[in-house]
Amino acid sequence: LIDAIRNGADHKLTIVVAPAGFGKTTLLAGWLAAPAGPGKSVAWVSLDPSDNEPQLFWAYIIRALEGIHPAAGAQAMAQLLEAGTPSIEGALATLINAVNALDQEVTLVLDDYHVIDTDVIHAGLTFLLDHLPPRMHVVIASRADPPVALSRLRARGELTELRAADLRFTHEE
């Protein structure tokens, strides 16, 4: 399973989708701890139902990416927090450009994405995936498929999928 996630880093998106108790978070933590894991350039965001407010959700994402490189999200955060209605896509475009300028591979992990039910956030994530920098990879752990363009990513060979059947123990295990 760790090899499947590691090999999926060449794709835009890896999803780990299974019911509660199947070890999604444990698998991802094991992948991060593995000797040949993704390295130090991982931004991990654990989500809960209170994160359904778009400005808050994206602020968490930006802050997590700033943990990789402190200046990576400064301008995007300023745009996001501007008075009035912030342009999520504008802030995301700025963030994408900042991450693209980094000289390292970046992995963004969104754990428990199933708690997010705000269409604006899903649209923002779709925008991010559509414009993802070549050295960035997104991993989503969820109890249900995230409402993004999975079929399009699958058809383009940009999606790695791990499902309950993959996580289920065999009799020998």
Side-chain angles (χ1 to χ4, degrees):
L1 293 174
I2 289 174
D3 286 342
I5 295 173
R6 186 180 303 119
N7 294 336
D10 293 337
H11 300 143
K12 286 185 175 188
L13 176 64
T14 296
I15 59 171
V16 182
V17 179
F22 268 67
K24 299 175 295 292
T25 301
T26 302
L27 171 61
L28 293 178
W31 164 61
L32 293 178
K40 295 183 180 180
S41 300
V42 175
W44 183 297
V45 180
S46 294
L47 300 165
D48 62 52
S50 67
D51 298 329
N52 271 289
E53 195 281 309
Q55 199 171 11
L56 179 65
F57 176 89
W58 291 109
Y60 284 152
I61 302 299
I62 292 168
R63 290 293 185 225
L65 290 168
E66 285 179 331
I68 293 172
H69 194 280
Q75 190 176 358
M77 184 64 80
Q79 280 181 276
L80 188 66
L81 299 177
E82 280 180 5
T85 305
S87 165
I88 299 297
E89 284 188 4
L92 286 176
T94 301
L95 181 65
I96 289 165
N97 289 332
V99 170
N100 195 42
L102 298 177
D103 60 353
Q104 63 194 95
E105 299 288 323
V106 174
T107 300
L108 171 63
V109 177
L110 302 175
D111 193 18
D112 289 331
Y113 192 80
H114 58 273
V115 301
I116 302 300
D117 57 16
T118 304
D119 290 338
V120 174
I121 293 174
H122 300 317
L125 183 59
T126 298
F127 179 86
L128 176 65
L129 291 169
D130 285 346
H131 301 90
L132 204 65
R135 288 183 279 181
M136 188 172 182
H137 177 65
V138 177
V139 178
I140 295 176
S142 180
R143 294 181 188 170
D145 282 354
V148 296
L150 293 181
S151 57
R152 183 177 60 213
L153 292 167
R154 191 179 294 118
R156 292 180 179 170
E158 298 174 334
L159 176 66
T160 300
E161 301 175 75
L162 292 173
R163 306 257 175 204
D166 301 306
L167 300 175
R168 188 172 286 124
F169 286 112
T170 64
H171 287 293
E172 295 81 26
E173 293 170 324

